[in-house]
């Protein structure tokens, strides 16, 4: 199946700093990518839909100024957690749809720990 | 909005079949997916089914869809210890719609 690469796998940062997470589709172009957040032993919650060349669409309750999304190319979307605080600590996962948009492939996730 | 429910835990013996169940509420859901997540990892797409299908088989995996009851199941034949993971079902109304995940079912395979 298609490969979605997510980097970094884990990051520890100090409170108040910003963290950037990258999501790349390695062998296909993705006009749309999705960012999810997962708390321990819970399901995935969609944060935002990232569209290449346009502004991201955020789900209700997700602060767009807090979670900056940039989808500058057909193979790369980035999520920047700005001024991170301990409550932002979570597992973040991206996904991308293949050309037919039927299949959604997921990255390996990023564990963010804010001290 | 869509609500997707799963049982939380299933324990089976190695070699037995596992059946993981899922229910959804939105009758307009046209794509239904099964994903596998191992600890600390992302989600692996196992299989998916389109709503005009009743069944789909892929090697050890069999997906059954009862559209009338909005019930989806995943059967894993000859379950192995490597199948131990959390299994998520997910649904969406169309390729332009967002994916809604179930709560996940933790499958434990015992020897």
């Amino acid at each position: 199946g298609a490969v979605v690469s997510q980097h970094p796998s884990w990051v520890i940062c100090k409170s108040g700093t910003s963290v950037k997470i990258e999501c790349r589709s390695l062998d296909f172009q993705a006009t749309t990518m999705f960012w999810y957040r997962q708390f321990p032993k819970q399901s995935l919650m969609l944060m935002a839909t990232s569209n290449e060349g346009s502004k991201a669409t955020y789900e209700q309750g997700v602060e767009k100024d807090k979670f900056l999304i940039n989808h500058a190319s057909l193979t790369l979307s980035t999520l920047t957690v700005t001024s991170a605080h301990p409550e932002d600590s979570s597992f973040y996962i991206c996904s991308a749809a293949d050309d037919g948009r039927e299949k959604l492939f997921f990255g390996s996730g990023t564990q963010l720990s804010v001290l | 909005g869509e609500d997707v429910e799963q049982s939380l835990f299933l324990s089976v013996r190695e070699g037995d079949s596992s059946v993981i169940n899922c229910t959804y509420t939105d009758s307009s859901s046209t794509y239904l997916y099964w994903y596998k997540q191992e600890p600390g990892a992302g989600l692996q797409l196992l299989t998916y089914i389109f709503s005009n299908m009743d069944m789909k088989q892929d090697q050890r995996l069999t997906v059954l869809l009862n559209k009338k009851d909005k019930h989806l199941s995943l059967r894993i034949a000859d379950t192995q210890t490597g199948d131990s993971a959390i299994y998520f079902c997910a649904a969406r109304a169309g390729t332009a719609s967002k994916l809604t995940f179930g709560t996940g079912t933790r499958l434990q395979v015992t020897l």
Side-chain angles (χ1 to χ4, degrees):
Chain A
V3 177
V4 175
S5 173
Q6 190 173 337
H7 178 81
S9 298
W10 56 270
V11 58
I12 302 173
C13 68
K14 290 183 178 181
S15 187
T17 60
S18 294
V19 174
K20 179 185 283 189
I21 303 169
E22 292 187 349
C23 180
R24 293 180 186 272
S25 56
L26 295 186
D27 51 359
F28 65 102
Q29 294 184 331
T31 55
T32 304
M33 292 185 176
F34 304 88
W35 288 96
Y36 292 83
R37 185 171 181 178
Q38 186 181 31
F39 290 102
K41 298 184 179 181
Q42 293 190 24
S43 189
L44 284 75
M45 298 301 296
L46 179 65
M47 297 174 66
T49 301
S50 169
N51 302 294
E52 188 268 336
S54 64
K55 290 184 179 180
T57 304
Y58 290 82
E59 294 298 301
Q60 190 173 7
V62 178
E63 300 175 58
K64 59 181 67 175
D65 295 329
K66 174 76 171 175
F67 300 99
L68 298 179
I69 291 172
N70 183 278
H71 194 154
S73 78
L74 287 171
T75 59
L76 173 65
S77 175
T78 60
L79 168 68
T80 300
V81 183
T82 62
S83 186
H85 291 283
E87 58 266 29
D88 299 323
S89 298
S90 189
F91 193 61
Y92 294 88
I93 311 177
C94 69
S95 74
D98 68 343
D99 291 343
R101 302 195 177 198
E102 288 188 359
K103 302 177 185 177
L104 289 175
F105 300 97
F106 283 78
S108 54
T110 299
Q111 180 65 52
L112 170 63
S113 296
V114 184
L115 304 177
Chain B
E2 176 82 90
D3 189 24
V4 182
E5 297 285 340
Q6 299 176 240
S7 53
L8 292 180
F9 183 76
L10 175 65
S11 181
V12 298
R13 287 191 175 181
E14 188 178 38
D16 288 350
S17 293
S18 307
V19 179
I20 302 171
N21 294 300
C22 170
T23 58
Y24 60 97
T25 57
D26 190 347
S27 57
S28 64
S29 292
T30 51
Y31 294 94
L32 300 134
Y33 302 81
W34 283 104
Y35 286 90
K36 176 183 180 182
Q37 185 180 36
E38 298 187 57
L43 273 69
Q44 175 192 354
L45 177 62
L46 293 176
T47 185
Y48 71 106
I49 191 168
F50 192 59
S51 60
N52 65 354
M53 301 168 66
D54 297 324
M55 185 184 85
K56 182 177 181 180
Q57 187 160 0
D58 183 3
Q59 298 182 330
R60 292 192 297 125
L61 305 179
T62 302
V63 178
L64 294 178
L65 173 62
N66 182 326
K67 194 175 177 183
K68 174 177 172 290
D69 293 339
K70 298 197 250 332
H71 181 269
L72 182 74
S73 68
L74 173 69
R75 178 178 181 270
I76 305 173
D78 187 25
T79 311
Q80 301 297 307
T81 54
D83 295 324
S84 294
I86 298 176
Y87 291 79
F88 289 96
C89 73
R92 61 174 175 161
T95 55
S97 302
K98 69 177 184 179
L99 196 59
T100 300
F101 282 87
T103 48
T105 299
R106 181 177 295 275
L107 175 63
Q108 178 185 63
V109 183
T110 59
L111 297 174

